Amino acid sequence: MSMTRMPSDLGGVLPELLGLDHVGVAVADLDAAITFYRDLLGFQVVHREDNLDQQVSEVMLSNREGEPGSNQLQLLLPFAENAVLQRFLVRRGGGGLHHVAYAVPDVRSASRILRQCGVRVLYDAPRAGTRGSQINFVHPKDTGGVLLELVERATGDPHSGRANSG
Ligand code: CMX
Ligand code: CO
């Protein structure tokens, strides 16, 4: 695996990783993707949002919303002016796995720790993510090729239970 450094070289462990929050998939056609995951896999749409900061329309799907062990899938349709994601779509032939998101209790402290360990955390301060969450990212070149999102879910969010445990 081609990581910049192996974890043993980085000398740190991220405390309180709550688990996977969602998997992000970039798509060129939201409706077609929703139909696929709903009709074939039984996922349900649980949230829709235009994130103006990230320049995406997004749809969150879940297999068993709010239940222990449920999984979330985030479909992302880039705005026309989102050059980076448009480039990604072209490169992946119209869509593909874009990022894996992990839930943390405190995205600022998680970002600080990871940065101190030498990986490129993209934003100096967390930005607005889905459903009022706070997010940051680790560059895919420092993770072995997968864009990594950190998510601190909003307090009071009915969906903000611990990741993967309800
Ligand atoms: N996963 C893996 N690799 C990726 C990637 C991704 N999502 N996006 C780009 N890359 C790779 C490219 O393949 C390319 O690799 P090579 O140099 O080997 O060809 C390299 O990174 C550079 O590609 P690029 O098109 O020039 O991409 P940029 O460097 O301009 O942007 C990144 C990459 C990670 C900085 C940018 O995608 C970013 O800022 N991401 C964070 C924001 C985001 O993704 N928002 C959407 C999701 C919002 C949400 O989840 O709520
Ligand atoms: Co995401």
Side-chain angles (χ1 to χ4, degrees), residues 135-158:
I135 59 174
N136 209 333
F137 292 88
V138 180
H139 199 284
K141 294 296 179 193
D142 289 352
T143 66
V146 180
L147 177 62
L148 188 159
E149 181 181 357
L150 299 167
V151 181
E152 177 183 336
R153 294 184 182 183
T155 46
D157 177 349

Side-chain angles (χ1 to χ4, degrees), residues 102-117:
Y102 297 87
V104 292
D106 182 342
V107 69
R108 277 178 196 278
S109 105
S111 301
R112 190 174 57 244
I113 290 164
L114 289 173
R115 194 174 281 122
Q116 282 168 355
C117 289

Side-chain angles (χ1 to χ4, degrees), residues 22 74 99 101 149:
H22 63 267
Q74 182 183 42
H99 64 270
E149 181 181 357

Side-chain angles (χ1 to χ4, degrees), residues 54 74 84 87 91 98-99 122-123 141 145 147 149:
Q54 293 292 327
Q74 182 183 42
V84 177
R87 203 158 49 232
R91 224 188 277 121
H98 183 257
H99 64 270
L122 294 185
Y123 306 143
K141 294 296 179 193
L147 177 62
E149 181 181 357

Side-chain angles (χ1 to χ4, degrees), residues 9-149:
D9 302 328
L10 295 172
V13 174
L14 190 63
E16 294 191 290
L17 188 75
L18 300 177
L20 284 180
D21 188 90
H22 63 267
V23 170
V25 174
V27 302
D29 183 338
L30 265 182
D31 289 334
I34 291 168
T35 301
F36 176 84
Y37 285 106
R38 188 189 54 215
D39 295 355
L40 210 59
L41 299 188
F43 275 79
Q44 290 181 338
V45 173
V46 294
H47 183 71
R48 283 176 184 264
E49 177 173 338
D50 280 353
N51 185 329
L52 304 185
D53 186 37
Q54 293 292 327
Q55 297 193 305
V56 292
S57 295
E58 61 139 284
V59 173
M60 195 68 89
L61 300 118
S62 174
N63 58 337
R64 293 188 302 262
E65 172 72 340
E67 289 181 32
S70 63
N71 302 128
Q72 293 197 107
L73 181 71
Q74 182 183 42
L75 302 176
L76 300 163
L77 175 72
F79 295 173
E81 55 269 43
N82 186 337
V84 177
L85 248 174
Q86 293 289 357
R87 203 158 49 232
F88 180 90
L89 280 185
V90 170
R91 224 188 277 121
R92 302 291 157 102
L97 178 61
H98 183 257
H99 64 270
V100 177
Y102 297 87
V104 292
D106 182 342
V107 69
R108 277 178 196 278
S109 105
S111 301
R112 190 174 57 244
I113 290 164
L114 289 173
R115 194 174 281 122
Q116 282 168 355
C117 289
V119 294
R120 269 171 290 175
V121 177
L122 294 185
Y123 306 143
D124 290 339
R127 296 206 186 157
T130 185
R131 296 199 276 215
S133 61
Q134 295 285 301
I135 59 174
N136 209 333
F137 292 88
V138 180
H139 199 284
K141 294 296 179 193
D142 289 352
T143 66
V146 180
L147 177 62
L148 188 159
E149 181 181 357

